[in-house]
Amino acid sequence: MTLTEQFKIESREQAQRKNFVELAHDDIALLRDLLPFIEKRVDGIVEQFYAHLLKYSEARAFFKDEGTLSRVKSAQREYLLDLFRGRYEEDYFENRLRIGVTHERIGLVPKWYIGSNSKFLCLMVPLLAQKYRLRSGKLTRCVLALTKIMNLDQQLVIDTYIGSLLEKLNERQRLLEELLSQIKHAADVLASSAGEILAATIQVVSGAAQTAAAVKDTAATVEEVKQTAQVSSQKAKQVFDSAQKAS
């Protein structure tokens, strides 16, 4: 499954988003025409951006060595050039969503991405102003076109953050429901066991009561036999005494 399918941003949705930000054919043409101009300056833009970004310790933590930083700079260079290539179809949307998924996976929170877009705009607009310093109308159209495509990018990346968050919430909900089911099962087993224990206890108590009654009856019988034996013994003694006197 592609990311555009996963996040439900397929052809119809893509067209609607471009229409909403009013990214027209004229805007695309302006951006494409700027590509050679930006290609000559993109390395400087990237270097200025990372010089700014690396002032912040929280951001520096994502670049553990020079190799990582070099790879990220290279990817950032391509990201910027893609803004001006004029190809904003399925592959473009898929690529931007992949960037968002990567950001979310490594823990790069949205403030850094949104802030980065603002910084890149601040770095590129002065270059455009220099290029079109005598053509204010063209400058305005170029800046608006660049703003539109960068806004479209932001939508896509933020969608991945939201989508990933919803997936995590759904997974936690599933785990919670599973835990509640286990607790309910354990409670049912405990209740059943408690019932069995209660029944056994009642049986034991009833048996004990019957045993006590039997012991009581036996004791009474023993007492009765004892008394009878005593009486018999007394009568026998009397007969013996009478026999003694008679002799």
Side-chain angles (χ1 to χ4, degrees):
M1 177 185 290
T2 64
L3 292 174
T4 53
E5 292 172 336
Q6 180 181 336
F7 290 98
K8 296 180 172 53
I9 307 177
E10 298 177 81
S11 57
R12 184 175 179 180
E13 175 67 15
Q14 293 169 22
Q16 184 182 67
R17 292 192 181 210
K18 287 185 284 188
N19 288 336
F20 185 75
V21 298
E22 298 182 326
L23 183 67
H25 292 297
D26 289 346
D27 297 310
I28 294 173
L30 285 169
L31 291 169
R32 188 182 291 118
D33 289 344
L34 283 169
L35 180 59
F37 176 79
I38 294 298
E39 280 182 323
K40 294 177 182 178
R41 294 160 177 81
V42 67
D43 291 332
I45 294 170
V46 169
E47 288 302 322
Q48 289 181 70
F49 169 74
Y50 280 96
H52 175 71
L53 180 67
L54 296 176
K55 293 176 183 176
Y56 300 90
S57 58
E58 187 178 344
R60 285 199 303 273
F62 291 97
F63 309 102
K64 297 181 179 179
D65 52 57
E66 285 297 322
T68 300
L69 182 58
S70 179
R71 288 192 298 273
V72 172
K73 284 182 178 180
S74 179
Q76 189 70 67
R77 183 181 186 278
E78 289 304 307
Y79 173 86
L80 292 175
L81 292 177
D82 275 347
L83 293 172
F84 299 92
R85 286 184 171 129
R87 298 191 296 266
Y88 313 118
E89 305 302 331
E90 177 73 22
D91 289 345
Y92 183 88
F93 280 78
E94 184 75 13
N95 176 265
R96 268 24 187 182
L97 290 172
R98 188 178 298 111
I99 290 171
V101 169
T102 301
H103 286 178
E104 196 280 332
R105 176 175 54 79
I106 66 174
L108 184 70
V109 294
K111 68 177 183 180
W112 294 111
Y113 172 75
I114 296 173
S116 296
N117 262 17
S118 175
K119 182 61 178 176
F120 279 124
L121 197 59
C122 290
L123 290 170
M124 288 187 286
V125 168
L127 296 176
L128 299 180
Q130 184 180 8
K131 178 178 175 61
Y132 296 115
R133 60 186 178 278
L134 300 178
R135 302 172 63 185
S136 60
K138 183 72 174 285
L139 172 61
T140 299
R141 292 195 299 275
C142 286
V143 171
L144 288 175
L146 181 57
T147 302
K148 291 173 185 179
I149 191 61
M150 293 184 77
N151 179 274
L152 183 62
D153 276 15
Q154 284 188 2
Q155 292 180 37
L156 297 173
V157 172
I158 293 303
D159 276 347
T160 63
Y161 281 105
I162 295 172
S164 297
L165 178 60
L166 290 175
E167 284 184 7
K168 289 179 181 179
L169 289 174
N170 289 336
E171 176 62 14
R172 289 177 183 178
Q173 177 68 23
R174 185 190 67 79
L175 292 175
L176 178 60
E177 290 175 355
E178 183 178 318
L179 178 60
L180 290 175
S181 177
Q182 292 174 355
I183 291 173
K184 182 179 182 301
H185 176 70
D188 290 342
V189 170
L190 184 60
S192 175
S193 298
E196 293 175 359
I197 292 171
L198 179 61
T201 301
I202 292 173
Q203 185 175 357
V204 169
V205 170
S206 176
Q210 292 175 359
T211 300
V215 169
K216 183 178 180 181
D217 291 343
T218 300
T221 301
V222 169
E223 182 63 25
E224 183 178 347
V225 170
K226 178 182 176 182
Q227 292 177 357
T228 300
Q230 288 177 344
V231 170
S232 298
S233 175
Q234 290 175 355
K235 287 184 177 180
K237 185 175 183 303
Q238 289 174 358
V239 170
F240 179 77
D241 291 339
S242 296
Q244 285 279 353
K245 290 178 179 181
S247 61

